[in-house]
Amino acid sequence: MATSATQEKVHYDSVDAIPLGEINVANPYLFQNDTVGEYFTRLRREDPVHYCAESRFGPYWSVTKFNDIMAVDTNHKVFSSEAKLGGIAVQDMHGIEGALELEMFIAMDQPKHDQQRKAVSPVVAPSNLLLLEPIIRERAGAILDSLPVGEEIDWVKLVSVELTTMTLATIFDFPWDERAKLTRWSDITTASPETGIVESFEQRREELIQCAMYFKGLWDQRIDQPGGNDLISMMAHSPATRDMPFLEFLGNLLLLIVGGNDTTRNSISGGVLALNQNPGEYQKLRDNPALVSSMIPEIIRWQTPLTHMRRTALEDAEIGGKQIKKGDKVVMWYLSGNRDETVIDRADKFIIDRENPRHHLSFGFGIHRCMGNRLAELQLRIIWEEILKRFRFVEVVGEPERLLSNLVRGITRLPVKLHAH
Amino acid sequence: MINVTFVSADGTRRSVEIDEGLSAREAALFNSVPGIDGDCGGVCACATCHVHVDQAWMDRVGPPEEGGMESDLIQFAEGTTETSRLACQIPMVPELDGLVLHLPELQH
Ligand code: HEM
Ligand code: FES
């Protein structure tokens, strides 16, 4: 029975009892209590391209099946990412008075998207990343060595956040003692006052200007020192990026930081949780640590760190038999497509030795496919190799807490106990 | 059956056979030739099946269609040249029997 007429926090006896038209999978509470999966299962079965006529995000379409999501993601000429049309999340991007408008190619269409991505993409090409592997490994080892064994600790705070900040600092060759700045700048880039992270758009603007000046300082130093493998040196020396207008450079830099921050952090936490919920898989991994390479993409599928990307239809179109009108908001629910049993074998199971583990939607597909996907996999592989060397069991000893967000699928607290070999 | 030779970045040559109608991506994957990831399943959506077509075969294979999805995507692969193609977009037809493809060191 409905206890309230509003869409948020409505309570029915079961998901199946809710009238289809009332389903609003963008309700952030469904992600916080991790029940959204049941809604997606129902939509995939009964109404895979679903229209929600009313929500606090306005009306929107939900695309829930793997192949329909692929069709939208690869049709960038019809489905736009443009910030001015609302951007890439179900929550519209707004031009806000007092906010510093950062231009990022993730929220641009062709041709500008292509020019910018082409310029920046080589800095995260796998051949460059291999050069950074030894430093990332050494620093990950040091963080893990500093953890107390046998005591209850918060894995998110002491490990996932630390390791992610460390790798970000390493790939930018950022002054080590000031690395917490990177996490802060990443947080404020996506923050609005209602998140509590900043008090006002003016504060956000001011902090971003400090960030800009800081990076300008690093850029100016490195432009005179050839040969650095870090992302700032590479951008300062590459003909494609060295003459970039400064705000564009800043936007791209912050996109690299933001893109790799929450997503990697939550993959580190999500992996520990998944292995604890699937002890048989954890045992397989202990017996054969080489499975790390197929486990990493499976963790990324399982966690789906970004639940969705959104597009805006530039013309009338059809998806899965439904008529989409020009201007409609279309949400590709990667989290749902990643559980689509018609495409992924035993999609509701976490299996670390799948044959085609990279066949998942977590990085998107098409021209906006995650540019940092190899970097993400590399970091996670190193981290897991180092964890396995040190700990027989990272035991989850309490309930995980989850983020109130319909975009970032986040774990905010995960109590664990470490057991050495 | 169509014959395809893959040349790895280190110079190793592997000759394989593949059914007509499949693609050069499948020719590699179904015969366990390393160097092609093909994450999207061969639907031209990921660019992790990047290959360099041997100069001698470029006339018959041709460049990606201008303005199509393949040209949109391939620009983001690492180390592309004028003979770059996505292997999943090269169908195995009899005229390509004997085709030689060079593999990049890594797929981005
Ligand atoms: C497990 C970790 C990660 C996940 C799940 C993830 C996910 C995604 C997704 C879903 C997209 C949009 C795809 C689409 O619209 O089709 C994206 C784009 C992007 N990601 Fe990631 N990402 C991760 C790590 C990273 C890292 C480490 C970086 C840093 C280099 C990064 C940089 C980017 C950039 C620059 C884009 C924009 C690409 C474009 O618009 O062309 N990501 N990512
Ligand atoms: S396999 Fe994905 S583009 Fe060829």
Side-chain angles (χ1 to χ4, degrees):
Chain A
M1 278 304 292
T3 53
S4 148
T6 62
Q7 298 253 328
E8 309 242 321
K9 293 185 176 169
V10 175
H11 298 293
Y12 285 92
D13 294 337
S14 77
V15 171
D16 286 339
I18 306 173
L20 263 183
E22 272 182 36
I23 289 185
N24 170 20
V25 281
N27 175 356
Y29 291 101
L30 301 180
F31 295 84
Q32 189 176 39
N33 62 22
D34 201 28
T35 54
V36 74
E38 299 165 46
Y39 293 76
F40 284 137
T41 305
R42 176 155 178 228
L43 288 188
R44 284 197 305 276
R45 199 176 53 222
E46 292 178 28
D47 195 21
V49 179
H50 172 261
Y51 190 64
C52 175
E54 232 184 275
S55 81
R56 69 158 141 140
F57 312 102
Y60 66 93
W61 291 95
S62 285
V63 186
T64 62
K65 296 201 78 172
F66 193 106
N67 290 328
D68 290 336
I69 291 171
M70 183 75 107
V72 173
D73 224 354
T74 52
N75 193 357
H76 53 268
K77 296 200 161 76
V78 171
F79 297 107
S80 166
S81 297
E82 174 57 47
K84 291 191 180 68
L85 298 178
I88 53 170
V90 64
Q91 166 87 67
D92 287 344
M93 283 178 162
H94 288 296
I96 293 157
E97 203 65 39
L100 187 65
E101 290 300 323
L102 290 170
E103 300 229 325
M104 298 188 181
F105 62 83
I106 194 170
M108 290 178 193
D109 290 338
Q110 290 177 318
K112 201 157 180 213
H113 162 271
D114 294 6
Q115 292 154 9
Q116 297 218 350
R117 175 165 173 148
K118 246 187 301 193
V120 185
S121 174
V123 304
V124 284
S127 49
N128 288 320
L129 298 175
L130 288 176
L131 303 171
L132 299 170
E133 173 164 350
I135 321 173
I136 296 180
R137 190 179 292 283
E138 189 198 309
R139 290 176 167 178
I143 290 173
L144 295 170
D145 284 336
S146 73
L147 299 171
V149 171
E151 273 171 40
E152 181 176 321
I153 56 168
D154 179 10
W155 180 261
V156 174
K157 189 167 157 222
L158 289 190
V159 186
S160 307
V161 172
E162 283 296 311
L163 285 170
T164 309
T165 307
M166 174 279 290
T167 43
L168 277 176
T170 305
I171 61 180
F172 288 105
D173 193 10
F174 198 83
W176 188 240
D177 296 336
E178 306 209 49
R179 62 190 186 281
K181 286 198 161 86
L182 283 171
T183 318
R184 174 72 189 159
W185 291 333
S186 172
D187 290 344
I188 61 168
T189 301
T190 50
S192 58
E194 69 233 37
T195 60
I197 294 168
V198 287
E199 266 159 31
S200 62
F201 280 109
E202 282 67 42
Q203 187 198 345
R204 174 178 173 276
R205 184 192 168 85
E206 254 166 50
E207 286 197 45
L208 280 177
I209 288 172
Q210 285 167 20
C211 161
M213 292 179 29
Y214 196 99
F215 274 117
K216 178 88 171 67
L218 293 181
W219 174 281
D220 288 345
Q221 274 169 20
R222 295 195 187 160
I223 203 149
D224 298 326
Q225 298 166 358
N229 299 325
D230 65 278
L231 304 196
I232 299 172
S233 296
M234 290 188 59
M235 284 172 79
H237 291 278
S238 153
T241 38
R242 71 179 170 221
D243 300 321
M244 225 178 227
F246 189 71
L247 267 186
E248 219 165 81
F249 159 75
L250 185 69
N252 283 318
L253 211 59
L254 282 169
L255 178 56
L256 293 176
I257 297 172
V258 174
N261 191 35
D262 294 342
T263 50
T264 313
R265 177 194 302 175
N266 291 314
S267 301
I268 299 173
S269 306
V272 167
L273 187 58
L275 286 170
N276 272 264
Q277 290 167 337
N278 298 274
E281 297 303 300
Y282 206 158
Q283 193 52 44
K284 267 197 227 163
L285 178 66
R286 285 188 199 101
D287 294 342
N288 181 9
L291 289 179
V292 164
S293 49
S294 56
M295 175 180 77
I296 297 308
E298 176 69 350
I299 287 177
I300 295 171
R301 177 186 77 93
W302 191 247
Q303 179 63 23
T304 315
L306 295 177
T307 65
H308 76 274
M309 283 282 127
R310 162 270 178 94
R311 301 290 186 258
T312 309
L314 294 176
E315 52 190 77
D316 292 357
E318 195 196 298
I319 312 170
K322 296 284 179 88
Q323 292 305 315
I324 312 294
K325 290 263 168 283
K326 178 177 172 178
D328 282 358
K329 191 189 279 201
V330 177
V331 180
M332 302 176 282
W333 291 105
Y334 297 141
L335 181 59
S336 174
N338 274 342
R339 298 289 185 273
D340 184 346
E341 39 295 297
T342 61
V343 173
I344 299 173
D345 176 40
R346 290 166 293 162
D348 59 342
K349 296 270 184 308
F350 175 76
I351 303 172
I352 66 169
D353 50 358
R354 289 182 179 273
E355 218 167 287
N356 292 311
R358 285 221 185 100
H359 195 231
H360 63 67
L361 293 165
S362 297
F363 290 127
F365 278 110
I367 63 165
H368 289 283
R369 178 173 167 80
C370 179
M371 196 181 87
N373 65 346
R374 300 295 153 146
L375 174 57
E377 288 187 354
L378 176 84
Q379 291 178 49
L380 291 169
R381 180 171 58 73
I382 296 173
I383 287 163
W384 273 101
E385 284 167 358
E386 296 305 308
I387 292 173
L388 288 174
K389 278 185 206 160
R390 288 166 177 80
F391 307 116
R392 177 176 51 85
F393 187 17
V394 180
E395 183 191 6
V396 174
V397 293
E399 283 301 305
E401 284 169 22
R402 293 174 183 276
L403 187 68
L404 179 65
S405 164
N406 60 21
L407 177 62
V408 174
R409 189 155 182 259
I411 298 172
T412 49
R413 199 177 107 84
L414 186 65
V416 304
K417 216 179 253 184
L418 302 173
H419 301 271
H421 280 289
Chain B
M1 292 295 243
I2 312 282
N3 178 277
V4 188
T5 298
F6 290 96
V7 186
S8 301
D10 67 7
T12 313
R13 298 176 77 88
R14 291 183 182 82
S15 270
V16 300
E17 303 276 322
I18 188 76
D19 283 335
E20 210 180 306
L22 293 177
S23 74
R25 169 188 178 273
E26 274 97 50
L29 293 186
F30 293 1
N31 291 291
S32 306
V33 176
I36 285 185
D37 294 343
D39 295 352
C40 72
V43 297
C44 199
C46 70
T48 65
C49 62
H50 173 214
V51 293
H52 302 279
V53 177
D54 193 87
Q55 269 305 345
W57 287 87
M58 208 45 209
D59 287 354
R60 267 162 286 181
V61 177
E65 186 200 331
E66 217 170 298
M69 189 62 191
E70 187 183 351
S71 5
D72 280 351
L73 262 189
I74 207 168
Q75 52 180 337
F76 307 127
E78 191 180 6
T80 49
T81 61
E82 58 294 358
T83 67
S84 286
R85 288 292 308 262
L86 295 180
C88 69
Q89 301 306 303
I90 307 178
M92 294 289 91
V93 289
E95 304 85 83
L96 295 184
D97 192 23
L99 177 66
V100 180
L101 298 173
H102 299 263
L103 296 162
E105 204 166 340
L106 293 161
Q107 300 282 351
H108 184 176

